Amino acid sequence: MKPISFKNHHVNRFSKRPDWVRPAQNAPRKLVLFNKPFDVLPQFTDQAGRATLKDYISLTDIYAAGRLDRDSEGLLVLTNDGKLQAALTQPGKRTGKVYFVQVEGVPDDIVINALRTGVELKDGKTLPAGVEMVEEPQWLWPRNPPIRERRNIPTAWLKITLYEGRNRQVRRMTAHQGFPTLRLIRFSMGEYSLGDLQPGQWKEISNV
């Protein structure tokens, strides 16, 4: 694969940065890795009574570094450290985020190359990305509820590494190429990964 270049690349993003509350002076830094299940909101409160992080995580005063949509699964990093949040999410930092993506249909080399080099979306062309066809991950858990599969249409798995974080970017990229995303799991953000965390499990990282 050719080296990925980001020179002079500017995009507008849908999602707004979260409001951060500066930790109290001398307060210990907190860092939590959480395997967010499907149908859980990436926030601690919801007036509609839907499942949120509060149903799983007992710590307080931590905030999600970037979003992970309700219909997506996998790694959510939470912290009270604004600098760490910025390092993981700000576009200029170019932090790699790895996703395993099940799509409807089987993309050919032309589609894979288009996803790698950049897709022209309504908010501008996407940055170059790492994209490869892979087998279904052996560590993957069953989704509840299962995805809807059409009997006569095969599915395929892609490993996609993004260096930006637009609203529902992976889903929009694959749909633009004619291969709707059926299931999306974020595996890692920078140096942090799911490891052996199962859906709904979390762990606090010390020595941040």
Side-chain angles (χ1 to χ4, degrees):
M1 187 186 304
K2 295 181 179 179
I4 294 175
S5 172
F6 308 107
K7 185 178 180 181
N8 298 328
H9 192 101
H10 302 281
V11 295
N12 295 319
R13 287 167 176 76
F14 293 148
S15 55
K16 297 180 179 179
R17 295 178 186 173
D19 294 327
W20 281 85
V21 178
R22 185 182 298 275
Q25 189 173 8
N26 299 324
R29 292 180 176 178
K30 297 179 183 178
L31 173 62
V32 167
L33 306 183
F34 175 54
N35 188 343
K36 189 190 82 66
F38 177 80
D39 204 29
V40 173
L41 292 170
Q43 58 200 47
F44 281 91
T45 60
D46 180 59
Q47 294 182 346
R50 295 170 293 184
T52 68
L53 303 179
K54 189 176 181 180
D55 297 309
Y56 297 89
I57 300 173
S58 57
L59 296 181
T60 58
D61 300 323
I62 53 176
Y63 307 87
R67 292 184 58 82
L68 188 63
D69 296 318
R70 182 183 177 189
D71 52 357
S72 298
E73 309 162 69
L75 180 66
L76 193 64
V77 178
L78 301 105
T79 182
N80 66 345
D81 185 344
K83 289 184 178 179
L84 176 58
Q85 185 271 345
L88 290 173
T89 61
Q90 286 186 359
K93 302 299 184 180
R94 309 302 189 201
T95 300
K97 305 168 190 67
V98 177
Y99 300 84
F100 286 88
V101 186
Q102 186 179 18
V103 297
E104 187 175 81
V106 181
D108 58 19
D109 290 342
I110 296 175
V111 171
I112 297 296
N113 187 62
L115 293 171
R116 285 174 179 165
T117 56
V119 177
E120 194 67 51
L121 302 177
K122 290 183 178 180
D123 55 338
K125 189 174 183 179
T126 61
L127 286 176
V131 183
E132 59 182 303
M133 292 271 290
V134 295
E135 298 293 329
E136 179 178 334
Q138 294 185 353
W139 46 261
L140 190 61
W141 52 86
R143 202 191 79 169
N144 184 24
I147 65 166
R148 294 181 180 179
E149 293 190 62
R150 290 193 278 181
R151 182 176 300 176
N152 298 324
I153 300 180
T155 66
W157 283 88
L158 302 175
K159 181 181 178 182
I160 300 179
T161 304
L162 298 185
Y163 298 90
E164 56 181 332
R166 306 191 204 183
N167 185 45
R168 299 181 70 82
Q169 181 174 344
V170 170
R171 296 180 185 276
R172 291 194 291 140
M173 288 172 63
T174 65
H176 185 276
Q177 297 302 115
F179 296 86
T181 290
L182 300 174
R183 191 175 181 190
L184 189 154
I185 301 99
R186 185 161 65 198
F187 182 77
S188 66
M189 296 180 69
E191 64 181 290
Y192 305 108
S193 68
L194 280 177
D196 57 359
L197 287 175
Q198 295 300 300
Q201 293 182 344
W202 61 275
K203 64 179 179 181
E204 186 171 8
I205 304 297
S206 58
N207 301 320
V208 179

